[in-house]
Amino acid sequence: VINTAIGSNTFRVFRGAGTTRPSSLFKKWAFSRLGQEGEIKSKLCVETTEEFDLFFLTLSDDLLETWNKELSGMNEFRSRKMVALLLKNFCFWEGFDDAELRTYIKKVPLPLDSRTLSAIRLPYNKVGNYKIPMNPTMGFINQEEKYIELQKYIHYLAEKARIPAIYLDYLYFFKK
């Protein structure tokens, strides 16, 4: 799961960021933080959404700190996107039983990238406090308040559709 979590296009923003390959650093970090297969399940199968959110933010902050020791160019929103991509990939992990998977997919955060921002741009721009540009990039997400508002809006859309938020990412991805 870790080896396939993030495609090379995600790392292109870090070209020339240092001597370590960004993908190598990310994989090394992910393996060290999630541990062996038995440990992974205990970390991913927490009881509440609040516990999962704390786990997500802790992982994101840890990636940011680890990354900036060896490379440059990482900020808190990029680290959240990368951790969200990693956690999204666990939706296909065979280590979950059916009940665990159903619980997990309700908690996994949606990675905010140009694709997901484009998908919500028109409806969000009618009601949101920020205007998503026509061709958004990760640079658009530059404030904590904006990040939170966008995530809340995505969860609102998912709730209206009666699906987990992560499904919106898959629906848009497979639409292309």
Side-chain angles (χ1 to χ4, degrees), residues 44-60:
L44 298 179
C45 290
V46 295
E47 291 294 318
T48 68
T49 302
E50 291 77 20
E51 287 176 289
F52 194 87
D53 290 347
L54 179 60
F55 169 67
F56 168 70
L57 291 174
T58 301
L59 269 182
S60 298

Side-chain angles (χ1 to χ4, degrees), residues 44 52 55-56 83-91 104 108-109:
L44 298 179
F52 194 87
F55 169 67
F56 168 70
V83 171
L85 287 167
L86 172 64
L87 296 176
K88 176 181 134 179
N89 224 33
F90 277 96
C91 291
Y104 179 75
V108 68

Side-chain angles (χ1 to χ4, degrees), residues 124-125 128-132 140 143 145-147 149-150:
Y124 173 81
N125 282 354
N129 291 318
Y130 308 95
K131 297 298 174 207
I132 300 173
F140 171 72
Q143 301 167 347
E145 298 79 20
K146 190 184 294 186
Y147 179 87
E149 183 173 307
L150 289 166

Side-chain angles (χ1 to χ4, degrees), residues 89-127:
N89 224 33
F90 277 96
C91 291
F92 299 102
W93 186 46
E94 295 177 0
F96 289 131
D97 63 33
D98 289 345
E100 290 167 335
L101 179 59
R102 280 192 301 276
T103 301
Y104 179 75
I105 62 173
K106 291 177 184 174
K107 296 175 186 167
V108 68
L110 189 72
L112 294 181
D113 58 17
S114 62
R115 201 169 33 88
T116 52
L117 292 171
S118 293
I120 66 165
R121 186 178 69 80
L122 291 176
Y124 173 81
N125 282 354
K126 291 179 182 176
V127 297

